């Protein structure tokens, strides 16, 4: 956004913060794109109808194609006059079923959903089963062999702390420094469901999915858990192996 | 199917029984149709590729558009030679993610998935929440006000036993007698999720969804639970009110 355009937007009367859940299956990610449909296009169109002026959203995280969100946060400036307590209800009536606004708040002019992020939590979900389950396929990565929980938990411990995560950064992101701090990298198992949690200061392009590809290989016994520190140290994307699919990933919570 | 055609099919070497799970969201029901896509079309095409001959499925239940199945049963006659233990794996690789064969068995020539049904279980799933959840919307009916579990449970007790269920039969079915025996009609709650179970000798057209429309109105306090016997007795579809949506309904199990 050009600086003068940004100033013009900030001159509008209100800064609105929204919290969103969406099923990313049918979208080419969050960020607005030409020719394909993204969550941002759909949401901006609906907000334009409610508020009257043209809407430009800033978002906490650009989720990729097929990635879900339970706590995506966006903000926008508007001169529209709809009372804040009616925004979520009115917008949800116009939005498709796979995008839901869970919270709408007035916020001060300096708040930016993108720039004010302190930390984020991503979840990654796997189900383990010899046969696929059509009711889980949109929302979990299906792994058909046994996963060793303890080995995955121990491998995740090595992820915690401040590291150069170049080994888990895909080409194509526009992040500058590859250093991030991870406060928690953990896994819990409930029956044949594995829920992974990644809480950190920030995440590089495809970082969680690249970590998960390796962690699953460790769980399957294809890579030793104690290889993890060497792979991090190497700062070499080629060592970490395959990337986990998008459909298991959720932007769960954003802290400001 | 013409009798001579049926005899020709039965002259084939094998009778194969399959158990299926599917997410019905993207299909116009189970039964093969022209111009729109049904589960049967997709499945017959894949089985034709595996077995070589033209496949005609008989199914335990015609699920309607948008209705799901966890235990649909079908059978077909074939001269194809693929070993039975490879059928599910090979077919699942060719099927879309929303249809899964969970079991494949050789069965004797007299077995018909349609005609040999002894009883069936349907489940119906509701989630109660003031705000919609995009991850539940395909698989549950969303009810945004409180539901009274005990009132629904007591109303369901009246459904059990042998009754003329004309009050819950939609126009358009081709059932002859409206009398069915229901062995169990029950509901359990887990947090904000309600799971309803209907186990019976058979079900009329839209019967479970018509019952559920009324039961939800009882849960919401719009209809008194003790109206149920009068509504059954009346044998009048107009009294039971709205039909519950397809996306909460599952063909769960078929007994032979």
């Amino acid at each position: 956004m050009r600086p003068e355009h940004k100033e013009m937007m900030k001159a509008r009367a209100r800064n609105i913060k929204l919290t969103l859940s969406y099923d990313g299956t049918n979208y080419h990610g969050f960020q607005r794109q030409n020719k394909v449909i993204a969550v941002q296009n759909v949401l901006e169109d609906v907000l334009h109808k409610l508020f009257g002026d043209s809407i430009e959203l800033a978002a906490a995280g650009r989720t990729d194609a097929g990635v879900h969100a339970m706590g995506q946060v966006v903000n926008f400036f508007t001169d529209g006059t709809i009372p804040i307590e009616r925004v979520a209800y009115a917008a949800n009536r116009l939005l498709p079923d796979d995008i839901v606004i869970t919270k709408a708040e007035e916020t001060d002019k300096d708040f930016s959903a993108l720039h004010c992020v302190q930390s984020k939590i991503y979840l990654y979900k796997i189900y383990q089963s010899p046969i696929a389950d059509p009711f889980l396929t949109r929302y979990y990565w299906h792994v058909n062999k046994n996963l060793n929980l303890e080995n995955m938990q121990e491998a995740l411990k090595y992820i915690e702390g401040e590291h150069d995560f170049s080994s888990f950064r895909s080409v194509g992101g526009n992040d500058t420094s590859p250093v991030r701090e991870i406060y928690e990298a953990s896994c819990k198992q409930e029956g044949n469901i594995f829920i992974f949690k990644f809480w950190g200061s920030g995440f590089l392009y495809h970082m969680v999915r690249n970590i998960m590809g390796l962690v699953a290989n460790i769980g399957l016994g294809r890579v030793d858990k104690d290889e993890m520190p060497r792979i991090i140290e190497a700062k070499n994307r080629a060592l970490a192996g395959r990337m986990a699919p998008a459909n298991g990933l959720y932007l769960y919570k954003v802290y400001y």
Side-chain angles (χ1 to χ4, degrees), chain A residues 200-243:
Chain A
S201 63
F203 295 87
L204 304 173
Y205 186 54
H206 284 167
M207 180 169 146
V208 176
R209 290 168 61 191
N210 284 326
I211 291 172
M212 279 306 308
L214 179 60
V215 168
N217 276 338
I218 289 169
L220 292 165
R222 294 173 184 163
V223 177
D224 190 277
K225 64 180 162 44
D226 296 315
E227 288 288 293
M228 184 61 98
R230 193 181 62 79
I231 291 168
I232 297 173
E233 285 295 308
K235 305 181 184 68
N236 179 353
R237 174 71 197 100
L239 293 182
R242 64 172 173 179
M243 179 167 81

Side-chain angles (χ1 to χ4, degrees), chain A residues 107-108 114 120 145 149 164 177-178 180 203-204 227 253:
Chain A
T107 182
D108 65 72
L114 173 60
K120 289 184 213 170
K145 296 198 174 63
L149 177 67
D164 177 327
S177 163
R180 294 290 185 276
F203 295 87
L204 304 173
E227 288 288 293
K253 191 161 173 59

Side-chain angles (χ1 to χ4, degrees), chain A residues 14-136:
Chain A
R14 303 164 76 188
N15 186 7
I16 311 273
K17 177 185 176 188
L18 303 177
T19 307
L20 311 173
S21 282
Y22 51 83
D23 171 352
T25 310
N26 295 332
Y27 298 97
H28 287 265
F30 182 83
Q31 195 174 39
R32 181 177 44 217
Q33 293 184 55
N34 289 326
K35 297 189 183 162
V36 294
I37 194 165
V39 176
Q40 186 174 6
N41 303 76
V42 175
L43 197 55
E44 286 179 347
D45 286 353
V46 164
L47 294 171
H48 170 63
K49 283 183 190 135
L50 290 186
F51 286 89
D53 41 19
S54 67
I55 303 293
E56 293 179 13
L57 294 174
R62 303 177 186 179
T63 54
D64 286 320
V67 173
H68 313 296
M70 298 161 95
Q72 171 75 289
V73 179
V74 300
N75 80 294
F76 61 98
F77 297 97
T78 180
D79 288 323
T81 55
I82 175 172
I84 192 67
E85 65 276 11
R86 284 178 45 203
V87 170
Y89 180 80
N92 287 336
R93 285 178 61 110
L94 298 175
L95 285 167
D97 284 348
D98 51 10
I99 303 175
V100 174
I101 296 172
T102 56
K103 200 172 180 185
E105 301 160 87
E106 302 277 355
T107 182
D108 65 72
K109 282 296 190 65
D110 292 329
F111 175 79
S112 160
L114 173 60
H115 298 295
C116 302
V117 174
Q118 292 293 321
S119 67
K120 289 184 213 170
I121 297 174
Y122 281 92
L123 299 183
Y124 197 94
K125 301 188 184 184
I126 290 179
Y127 78 103
Q128 189 281 314
S129 169
I131 293 174
D133 180 332
F135 303 106
L136 299 182

Side-chain angles (χ1 to χ4, degrees), chain A residues 147-156 189 194 218 225:
Chain A
L147 290 166
N148 183 303
L149 177 67
E150 282 183 19
N151 286 346
M152 293 193 293
Q153 286 172 329
E154 289 178 40
L156 288 165
Q189 181 178 0
F194 295 82
I218 289 169
K225 64 180 162 44

